Amino acid sequence: MEDLANKDEYLVGKKIVVALSGGIDSVVLLHFLNKHYPGNVRAVHINHNLSKYSQEWHAFCAALCKADKIEYKDIDINIKSSSNIEENARKKRYISLTSELRVGETLCTAHHQEDQAETFLLQLFRGSGVAGLASMPKIKKIDGSDLYRPLLNISKQKIIDYALKNHLKWVEDDSNLDTNFKRNLLRIEFLPKLSSSFNGLIKNISRSASHQAEALKLLQDLAELDIVNFELLINNKIQVSPLIQLPKRRVANVLRYFISNLGFLLPSNKVLDELISSLNAKTDANLILRWHHYEVRRYNGELYFFDESVESSNLPCPYYESLKNIPNFEIRFRQEGQRVKLKGKNHSQSLKKVLQESNIPPWERDKLKMYYVDGSLRAMETLGEITEV
């Protein structure tokens, strides 16, 4: 869809959720989608509780949807004071929106051509690479659902014209005038001056973002080919030996691709260079690198990636389930010097050696639960049935 007159074929037959702020962009998007897909649209309003007008905006959105018979929901979020309120608000907003989605629904946001140009410039000024300069894709997967931006190639002026033509009402966010926010500074002070000197500036910047998106897709295609052709992934862990046979630029490309697919924030070039350099260290080197709240470790020639802000959720243990209701059942953890005998084995081994042979990383060994009944070891998480010697 390149205008606001024709139906968007991508959305035909889909259940649509509009992220409704109450501003002109989202109001136009809601009106347009409800006009073309009546009965298939509902709206969700995220109340950030950052403005004294927050409740008024909620009331406006609720009344707008009630008048047009559109299902509506309001979600309250609270943003802790920080040096980057914009980014924290964005993250919490998307978490709230995606967690609200029902199976098969598509989330639509009202980002337009000017938003894309601003994003491109913000990424450029940060020194971002291809992934950052690709800016916002028109469609992407987010937590298993589709995020779609129908207005991404539509100019702000066309959105204003549509609102006036259809006599729409909207609210103005007072924070949009605060030039302490870098995006507002670009929109209010810099882009108007640049546009007066460069014809078609916004459209051209958006086109550059599209070119970067194509280049990013090529890099992702190359990473996928390298992963398959060189067998770089086994059990979702990167294999160090074949990886370091590639040229450094392709090693970096594979790592960026893999980390991005994990949903992690990409490390800086400095951290990535340090990681690549350390891959050639001795195989028993205790590699641990951290950035933000993420971490990568190496063990037995494999790379393990962690998000320290997310608690690991282990799958239910069948041995725990089979033993937990037996009288005198208890859970313990390993101690130094323990010897055990695995089911089907004729001899005992030190528990330390058993864990090593089972390729269990050192940082996980002390967390494995050992299941005792009447003081006797019966099984161990991950290892299975086992007895203490």
Side-chain angles (χ1 to χ4, degrees):
M1 179 190 71
E2 301 300 326
D3 55 49
L4 284 164
N6 301 313
K7 202 168 185 175
D8 190 327
E9 293 302 319
Y10 173 80
L11 291 171
V12 173
K14 290 183 170 63
K15 294 292 183 182
I16 303 165
V17 177
V18 174
L20 180 66
S21 68
I24 185 173
D25 304 330
S26 63
V27 167
V28 164
L29 179 62
L30 182 67
H31 185 274
F32 172 82
L33 294 179
N34 192 50
K35 174 184 176 182
H36 289 288
Y37 313 99
N40 281 356
V41 179
R42 67 185 184 98
V44 176
H45 173 73
I46 304 296
N47 187 347
H48 298 85
N49 291 295
L50 291 172
S51 170
K52 61 182 179 180
Y53 303 109
S54 293
Q55 292 305 316
E56 294 179 24
W57 299 338
H58 154 56
F60 169 82
C61 292
L64 176 66
C65 291
K66 183 177 181 180
D68 290 333
K69 297 182 173 58
I70 298 171
E71 183 184 342
Y72 170 81
K73 183 172 182 178
D74 173 66
I75 298 177
D76 276 300
I77 62 175
N78 291 291
I79 311 297
K80 293 181 180 179
S81 178
S82 72
S83 59
N84 197 347
I85 292 178
E86 285 178 287
E87 181 63 16
N88 288 337
R90 186 189 70 81
K91 287 180 179 178
K92 281 206 169 186
R93 180 166 62 250
Y94 276 110
I95 290 172
S96 298
L97 286 168
T98 53
S99 63
E100 163 63 21
L101 292 178
R102 301 164 189 165
V103 176
E105 287 185 324
T106 297
L107 174 64
C108 287
T109 62
H111 295 103
H112 50 75
Q113 204 169 65
E114 275 83 342
D115 291 324
Q116 182 75 309
E118 291 161 11
T119 300
F120 180 92
L121 290 176
L122 286 170
Q123 294 291 349
L124 179 67
F125 297 155
R126 291 172 185 150
S128 299
V130 173
L133 295 177
S135 304
M136 295 182 288
K138 189 163 187 177
I139 180 171
K140 68 178 290 189
K141 285 288 183 184
I142 181 167
D143 291 336
S145 300
D146 286 341
L147 168 61
Y148 186 59
R149 299 180 172 101
L151 308 181
L152 197 61
N153 296 321
I154 304 294
S155 71
K156 180 73 172 187
Q157 188 57 53
K158 286 184 179 179
I159 291 172
I160 294 171
D161 293 343
Y162 182 98
L164 295 176
K165 179 181 178 182
N166 290 279
H167 309 290
L168 302 181
K169 295 181 180 179
W170 61 90
V171 298
E172 296 287 352
D173 187 341
D174 53 313
S175 70
N176 286 337
L177 299 177
D178 185 352
T179 54
N180 288 315
F181 295 126
K182 292 182 177 65
R183 186 177 288 273
N184 291 346
L185 183 65
L186 276 177
R187 180 185 301 131
I188 295 169
E189 295 191 11
F190 294 143
L191 280 173
K193 293 178 181 178
L194 289 170
S195 295
S196 66
S197 300
F198 297 93
N199 292 331
L201 177 74
I202 300 298
K203 188 174 182 180
N204 290 339
I205 293 175
S206 296
R207 185 184 301 118
S208 291
S210 296
H211 293 328
Q212 294 297 317
E214 290 181 10
L216 177 61
K217 186 62 177 71
L218 287 172
L219 289 174
Q220 292 170 339
D221 290 346
L222 176 60
E224 290 173 358
L225 287 171
D226 280 343
I227 286 171
V228 172
N229 292 339
F230 296 96
E231 299 180 350
L232 301 182
L233 274 186
I234 297 178
N235 295 326
N236 207 37
K237 298 180 186 67
I238 291 182
Q239 307 301 301
V240 173
S241 293
L243 178 66
I244 60 177
Q245 304 305 313
L246 297 175
K248 181 180 176 181
R249 60 185 179 278
R250 283 164 64 181
V251 173
N253 186 49
V254 167
L255 290 171
R256 287 196 187 98
Y257 173 80
F258 183 77
I259 293 170
S260 178
N261 281 353
L262 290 175
F264 293 4
L265 191 66
L266 288 175
S268 66
N269 286 340
K270 181 180 179 181
V271 172
L272 192 61
D273 285 342
E274 187 177 351
L275 172 57
I276 294 171
S277 296
S278 65
L279 294 179
N280 290 299
K282 291 188 299 183
T283 55
D284 60 351
N286 187 21
L287 168 65
I288 300 178
L289 282 176
R290 295 183 177 90
W291 71 99
H292 301 285
H293 48 77
Y294 307 111
E295 181 178 281
V296 58
R297 300 186 183 195
R298 187 178 75 188
Y299 174 69
N300 274 4
E302 296 181 323
L303 294 182
Y304 293 73
F305 291 83
F306 304 92
D307 182 348
E308 294 178 333
S309 69
V310 177
E311 292 186 11
S312 59
S313 54
N314 294 327
L315 295 173
C317 176
Y319 305 102
Y320 169 78
E321 295 297 326
S322 65
L323 296 171
K324 65 180 181 179
N325 295 320
I326 298 177
N328 299 321
F329 170 76
E330 61 179 320
I331 296 175
R332 301 180 189 174
F333 295 90
R334 76 173 183 129
Q335 297 178 356
E336 194 66 33
Q338 283 180 290
R339 293 188 65 82
V340 296
K341 183 178 176 182
L342 293 172
K343 183 180 179 182
K345 296 285 186 178
N346 295 322
H347 60 280
S348 66
Q349 292 176 283
S350 71
L351 180 54
K352 180 179 180 180
K353 186 175 181 181
V354 170
L355 294 170
Q356 288 174 338
E357 291 179 348
S358 300
N359 202 31
I360 297 173
W363 58 88
E364 293 182 4
R365 295 172 192 170
D366 290 337
K367 300 177 184 178
L368 294 179
K369 296 171 183 173
M370 305 177 74
Y371 307 124
Y372 286 76
V373 176
D374 289 326
S376 297
L377 178 62
R378 298 281 292 273
M380 188 171 183
E381 190 177 15
T382 302
L383 292 182
E385 293 184 42
I386 190 172
T387 56
E388 193 168 8
V389 179

